[in-house]
Amino acid sequence: LRCPGGFSLLNLFPKPTKPNPIAMVEWTAAERAAITAIWGKIKIDEIGPQALARLLIVYPWTQRYFGSFGNLSSSAAILGNAKVANHGKVVLGGLDRAVKNLDNIKDSFSALSVLHSEKLHVDPDNFRLLGDILTIVLAAQLGSFFTVEYQATWHKFLDVVISALRRQYH
């Protein structure tokens, strides 16, 4: 549509740019820096076991997925359980993969999504619970370093990871 003077109404509505078909989300430079900074402060051997133990204590119904882990009958038993601690480290190792693949988290987690959905039959709501617990543990460990802005970015990061893990669910 041309108006007098050669002006086109189509110029008022620019063509949308195509999103990156591989990426689930676009990260700003500040978000990338925040995720890297937070991850640089995380001690996998401490935070992973604490987060998983808290999940099992605060949400005891999640224990049903860990029947082979032995005694989970009390908080003390869970906190002292070597299998819980080891799996907490494994979970944080998975997040390490996400940090290293920010532009392709979905594909990086496709095998884990299939495993948790089709073999382990984990309720996908538990991913959100673990993410919330992990954020609480991080806030306690990192103190004033874990600013509101960092927390917002961390939450966005976990949302992307959780979305990737839930991908296989129908």
Side-chain angles (χ1 to χ4, degrees), residues 63-82:
Q63 294 175 19
R64 68 180 169 189
Y65 303 108
F66 301 95
S68 66
F69 279 28
N71 185 5
L72 302 175
S73 64
S74 67
S75 296
I78 293 168
L79 290 167
N81 188 306

Side-chain angles (χ1 to χ4, degrees), residues 57-156:
I57 293 165
V58 175
Y59 305 106
W61 60 88
T62 61
Q63 294 175 19
R64 68 180 169 189
Y65 303 108
F66 301 95
S68 66
F69 279 28
N71 185 5
L72 302 175
S73 64
S74 67
S75 296
I78 293 168
L79 290 167
N81 188 306
K83 290 182 178 181
V84 169
N86 286 333
H87 194 65
K89 294 173 193 176
V90 169
V91 169
L92 268 278
L95 285 182
D96 184 54
R97 181 184 319 161
V99 170
K100 292 176 180 172
N101 293 285
L102 284 175
D103 293 320
N104 198 11
I105 292 174
K106 181 170 62 173
D107 287 340
S108 297
F109 277 72
S110 63
L112 280 175
S113 179
V114 171
L115 172 70
H116 285 82
S117 169
E118 296 179 10
K119 184 177 179 190
L120 301 175
H121 306 288
V122 173
D123 181 340
D125 289 338
N126 291 333
F127 302 136
R128 167 70 52 217
L129 296 176
L130 181 57
D132 291 345
I133 292 284
L134 180 58
T135 301
I136 291 166
V137 171
L138 276 178
Q141 290 282 327
L142 301 180
S144 62
F145 177 83
F146 198 59
T147 64
V148 172
E149 294 80 13
Y150 273 16
Q151 182 179 351
T153 299
W154 182 253
H155 186 71
K156 178 179 176 180

Side-chain angles (χ1 to χ4, degrees), residues 23-40:
M24 292 177 69
V25 66
E26 296 293 327
W27 302 103
T28 66
E31 289 169 334
R32 288 176 186 277
I35 291 166
T36 301
I38 293 165
W39 192 250

Side-chain angles (χ1 to χ4, degrees), residues 150-164:
Y150 273 16
Q151 182 179 351
T153 299
W154 182 253
H155 186 71
K156 178 179 176 180
F157 169 69
L158 288 179
D159 279 348
V160 173
V161 170
I162 291 164
S163 177

